[in-house]
Amino acid sequence: MVDLPSCALSVRQPWAWAIVAGHKKIENRSAGSIRAGGMTCRRIAIHAASGLKQDEYDWGAWRLARHGLDCPRPDQLVRGAIIGAVDVVDIVSESDSEWFGGQMGLVLDHAAMCDPIPAKGALGYFTWERAASFAPVSRWMREWGGGPSSLFDDLPLDWRNPPRKPFGG
């Protein structure tokens, strides 16, 4: 049984999955979002945000693959849901971690997955409530990488060229 606190943080996929799976040890945020969002060290639920664009997924999957991690296909990543919990054990402005890449970082520990619970997200820390449904799977997600009937689904992705980093970065 996963301890699900009422306080949550919304994170876009595939990063939300990487956090609750125990792989991503720092969640990057701006100093302003940490301050405005009331972020402190405590146990929080991880909410998988509803939005996900193909360029975000491609870049995230590439970044995770660089660290030997195969994230689930985009149509297998639940969105619009609480998917686990993690302890925020520190808030840093510098780190040697491979996951640090922002102004500030929430240092994460004791990650745990749970059965997804539909919930709406919000900015910063928020008190989550159960919602009626998960975010729907988009057409591009179902068709990503050749679709579910591809003969080559069991082969690893070949990222000879990194995809473009979303958000102009």
Side-chain angles (χ1 to χ4, degrees), residues 57-124:
Y57 176 82
D58 287 349
W59 193 83
W62 170 79
R63 178 82 164 74
L64 291 165
R66 285 184 51 213
H67 297 285
L69 301 171
D70 292 323
C71 72
R73 292 176 43 90
D75 56 344
Q76 300 300 311
L77 287 169
V78 68
R79 294 171 300 108
I82 298 296
I83 61 170
V86 66
D87 290 335
V88 176
V89 297
D90 200 1
I91 299 174
V92 297
S93 59
E94 296 180 347
S95 175
D96 291 333
S97 169
E98 63 193 0
W99 300 112
F100 185 75
Q103 260 186 347
M104 304 286 288
L106 305 175
V107 180
L108 311 173
D109 201 6
H110 303 109
M113 289 184 176
C114 69
D115 290 335
I117 302 167
K120 291 184 180 180
L123 296 176

Side-chain angles (χ1 to χ4, degrees), residues 155-168:
L155 295 177
L157 290 175
D158 182 11
W159 295 107
R160 287 193 181 112
N161 298 308
R164 180 182 65 81
K165 185 175 180 178
F167 309 117

Side-chain angles (χ1 to χ4, degrees), residues 12 51-58 140-141 167:
R12 292 177 83 83
L52 179 60
K53 296 178 182 173
Q54 186 170 353
D55 64 341
E56 293 173 318
Y57 176 82
D58 287 349
W140 77 262
M141 294 172 182
F167 309 117

